[in-house]
């Protein structure tokens, strides 16, 4: 209103010109800001890739999926930390720049394992992260119709999440949530995403698989169950968390 009064004392066309040019000016300014941001991000990712390549014996584990990534990461970190020096991405940090900053700021020579939670809302992002960190083990926690508005279709979601599997080396290991209907339906197609993979593990709370759970008890403040493996191993778990869905996450971590 103040601008209108200011310009109306002079020229209405001048006011209209200002009104129409303002969005263009703001867009231009935003673009100028994004240029240095783009190069900073690119430099950060390049430096983190160069750094992680120096750690020849580091085992990188990537975790992705539509849900359960953070919980599975935390369980896995606790289990592995009993024997190894483990670095993980903190909290819900799962973007390529967040993972890159974790590598640059926290990765040290004494670390033996790096667990990277990988999130994405469009195809190609997980592939970029994998090119940076070179995972040897991949965990797919499940696929759902979340974020369809950003991926565009369920097929795109599947392809985006399977970028982790495609990136694994010939001696890599993939762990899949066999309780997830979408992943289960792709059970016989998993190999086609990466024909080099020799080790594929399906985890389930409903049927005997590569790894499965029985005797599940969900109490008020905890869950307990026995995990079995095809090779005959078994172990009892008691987790002080609420929610039976955590059984799936612990199984994948195990």
């Amino acid at each position: 209103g103040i601008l209108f009064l200011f310009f109306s004392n002079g020229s209405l066309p001048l006011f209209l010109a200002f009104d129409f040019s303002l969005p263009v000016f703001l867009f231009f300014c935003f673009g100028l800001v994004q240029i240095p941001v783009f190069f900073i991000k690119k430099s950060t990712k390049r430096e983190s890739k160069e750094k992680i390549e120096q750690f020849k014996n580091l085992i990188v584990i990537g975790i992705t999926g539509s849900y359960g990534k953070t919980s599975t990461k935390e369980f896995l970190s606790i289990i592995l930390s009993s024997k190894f020096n483990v670095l993980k991405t903190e909290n819900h940090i799962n973007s390529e720049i967040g993972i890159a900053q974790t590598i640059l700021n926290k990765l040290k020579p004494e670390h033996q394992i790096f667990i990277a939670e990988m999130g994405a809302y469009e195809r190609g992002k997980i592939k970029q992260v994998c090119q940076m960190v070179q995972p040897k083990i991949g965990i797919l926690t499940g696929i759902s119709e979340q974020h369809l508005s950003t991926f565009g279709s369920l097929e795109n979601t599947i392809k985006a999440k399977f970028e982790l599997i495609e990136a694994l080396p010939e001696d890599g290991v993939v762990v899949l949530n066999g309780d997830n209907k979408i992943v289960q339906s792709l059970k016989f197609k998993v190999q086609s995403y990466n024909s080099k993979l020799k080790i594929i593990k399906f985890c389930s709370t409903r049927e005997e698989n590569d790894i499965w759970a029985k005797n599940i008890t969900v109490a008020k403040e905890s869950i307990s169950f026995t995990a079995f493996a095809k090779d005959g191993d078994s172990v009892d778990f008691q987790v002080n968390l609420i929610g039976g869905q955590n059984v799936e996450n612990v199984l994948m971590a195990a």
Side-chain angles (χ1 to χ4, degrees), residues 196-214:
K196 299 179 297 181
L197 279 175
K198 294 178 181 177
I199 303 176
I200 301 171
K201 299 286 187 181
F202 272 85
C203 305
S204 179
T205 63
R206 299 168 188 165
E207 60 184 11
E208 292 188 10
N209 221 308
D210 296 306
I211 302 171
W212 71 97
K214 291 180 70 175

Side-chain angles (χ1 to χ4, degrees), residues 140-153:
L140 180 55
T141 61
I143 298 173
S144 70
E145 295 185 348
Q146 293 182 30
H147 313 305
L148 280 185
S149 58
T150 55
F151 281 112
S153 69

Side-chain angles (χ1 to χ4, degrees), residues 29-230:
C29 290
F30 178 77
L32 287 178
V33 171
Q34 290 303 305
I35 291 173
V37 170
F38 170 80
F39 284 106
I40 290 171
K41 285 184 176 181
K42 189 174 182 179
S43 175
T44 300
K45 289 186 287 186
R46 186 188 70 251
E47 290 174 11
S48 64
K49 185 177 188 297
E50 291 172 353
K51 181 179 179 179
I52 204 168
E53 285 175 346
Q54 297 173 15
F55 297 81
K56 302 299 182 183
N57 296 320
L58 182 72
I59 296 175
V60 179
I61 304 172
I63 302 176
T64 194
S66 300
Y67 57 86
K69 295 186 293 294
T70 302
S71 297
T72 303
K73 175 188 67 181
E74 296 299 333
F75 291 138
L76 182 59
S77 176
I78 292 169
I79 292 172
L80 291 176
S81 292
S82 64
K83 290 188 176 181
F84 303 98
N85 196 321
V86 178
L87 173 66
K88 61 181 173 67
T89 50
E90 294 296 330
N91 302 319
H92 295 283
I93 292 176
N94 58 29
S95 67
E96 52 184 331
I97 194 66
I99 295 170
Q101 289 173 338
T102 299
I103 293 168
L104 289 176
N105 299 329
K106 297 187 176 182
L107 184 62
K108 298 178 181 178
E110 57 263 32
H111 285 126
Q112 297 167 287
I113 294 173
F114 176 45
I115 307 172
E117 178 183 337
M118 302 178 181
Y121 298 102
E122 60 181 291
R123 288 177 60 182
K125 290 298 182 181
I126 292 176
K127 181 179 180 180
Q128 290 176 19
V129 173
C130 290
Q131 288 172 341
M132 179 172 62
V133 304
Q134 298 295 310
K136 184 174 182 178
I137 300 171
I139 301 176
L140 180 55
T141 61
I143 298 173
S144 70
E145 295 185 348
Q146 293 182 30
H147 313 305
L148 280 185
S149 58
T150 55
F151 281 112
S153 69
L154 182 59
E155 183 63 24
N156 282 338
T157 304
I158 293 169
K159 288 180 178 179
K161 302 304 182 184
F162 269 80
E163 287 171 3
L164 172 58
I165 294 173
E166 291 175 319
L168 297 176
E170 189 170 336
D171 59 345
V173 179
V174 60
V175 179
L176 303 167
N177 183 359
D179 285 348
N180 179 259
K181 291 181 179 179
I182 296 173
V183 173
Q184 197 173 45
S185 69
L186 295 168
K187 185 171 184 177
F188 300 106
K189 295 183 180 180
V190 171
Q191 197 75 39
S192 67
Y193 282 91
N194 189 336
S195 58
K196 299 179 297 181
L197 279 175
K198 294 178 181 177
I199 303 176
I200 301 171
K201 299 286 187 181
F202 272 85
C203 305
S204 179
T205 63
R206 299 168 188 165
E207 60 184 11
E208 292 188 10
N209 221 308
D210 296 306
I211 302 171
W212 71 97
K214 291 180 70 175
N215 308 321
I216 300 171
T217 302
V218 180
K220 187 176 181 180
E221 295 182 352
S222 66
I223 53 174
S224 61
F225 63 94
T226 303
F228 295 88
K230 264 187 176 180

Side-chain angles (χ1 to χ4, degrees), residues 1-22:
I2 294 173
L3 285 172
F4 177 78
L5 290 173
F6 176 79
F7 282 110
S8 63
N9 290 330
S11 171
L12 183 59
L14 187 60
F15 168 75
L16 293 174
F18 175 82
D19 190 48
F20 283 115
S21 62
L22 182 60

